[in-house]
Amino acid sequence: MRMYEEDGSAARGLWVEEPARRYRMPDPVRGSAVRALLVVAVTLTEATITFFLAVTGSWLALPLVLIGIAGTVVATWAVLDVWITRQMWSQRHGVLSEPSSAAGPRRR
């Protein structure tokens, strides 16, 4: 496949790029979201294992319940970290310093 047609115009590529429907998350927010997702996944897996150990009457159920409580606290903190990081990034980079249409007239 040639890059250009005979008349010099660019040939149509294999795909047509379309604009994204949603913008990509900023790097710090995406990083905290990935961390939160991993922590929540590990906590839910641990809770499932704890449930099955409790049903079978294993002695490991009690230590895993205590670890599950700590995991729940950490998972809650990780999700809050996503929200806090998103708000912080918006305040530092996303706010335009222009008066809105709802602002009153400027005083002299």
Side-chain angles (χ1 to χ4, degrees), residues 75-105:
T76 304
W77 180 259
V79 172
L80 281 174
D81 182 48
V82 174
W83 182 65
I84 292 168
T85 306
R86 184 170 179 258
Q87 294 295 324
M88 183 183 66
W89 195 91
S90 294
Q91 288 179 0
R92 289 185 180 174
H93 299 96
V95 177
L96 296 176
S97 181
E98 298 175 356
S100 67
S101 60

Side-chain angles (χ1 to χ4, degrees), residues 19-32:
R21 294 183 184 180
R22 292 182 63 173
Y23 292 106
R24 183 176 168 174
M25 282 191 292
D27 287 339
V29 178
R30 191 169 56 250
S32 64

Side-chain angles (χ1 to χ4, degrees), residues 14 18-19 24 26 28 36 53 56 59-60 69 71-72 74 81 85 87:
L14 295 175
E18 296 178 6
R24 183 176 168 174
L53 287 175
T56 59
W59 64 272
L60 284 173
I69 293 170
T72 303
V74 171
D81 182 48
T85 306
Q87 294 295 324

